[in-house]
Amino acid sequence: MSAHCQLTGAQPGFGKTISHSHRRTSRRFDPNVQRKRYWLASERRYVRLTLSTKAIKTVDTIGVEAAVARIRARGVKV
């Protein structure tokens, strides 16, 4: 699943588009997901993470090491 954040777990939501005539058709609300590369100093390598924009701000606040630790705690391979 490409529209999935590794840190927060944000994934698409589903709903309906309602037209002027009130016909309902299915649609998908994707999170704003970006691929970003960070330097992981403890492992002396770059890691490429798929993060939502909210998660990018979280990484800026808590740091890359803590963010990678949270991602690994969720069982996601980095």
Side-chain angles (χ1 to χ4, degrees):
M1 181 185 294
S2 60
H4 184 268
C5 177
Q6 290 179 313
L7 182 61
T8 62
Q11 52 192 354
F14 296 90
K16 300 286 186 183
T17 298
I18 302 178
S19 69
H20 182 69
S21 65
H22 220 65
R23 283 181 70 104
R24 292 184 169 101
T25 54
S26 295
R27 64 159 294 181
R28 179 174 149 150
F29 297 91
D30 286 329
N32 188 2
V33 172
Q34 311 290 324
R35 285 184 53 83
K36 195 151 168 61
R37 194 175 82 145
Y38 290 100
W39 174 252
L40 195 59
S42 64
E43 298 181 17
R44 299 182 54 144
R45 69 182 182 104
Y46 284 101
V47 291
R48 190 174 298 275
L49 302 175
T50 305
L51 302 171
S52 64
T53 51
K54 181 180 177 182
I56 291 172
K57 294 171 190 171
T58 303
V59 170
D60 291 342
T61 304
I62 66 172
V64 181
E65 301 288 339
V68 169
R70 283 188 192 180
I71 292 170
R72 287 180 174 151
R74 293 183 69 235
V76 179
K77 184 181 175 191
V78 176

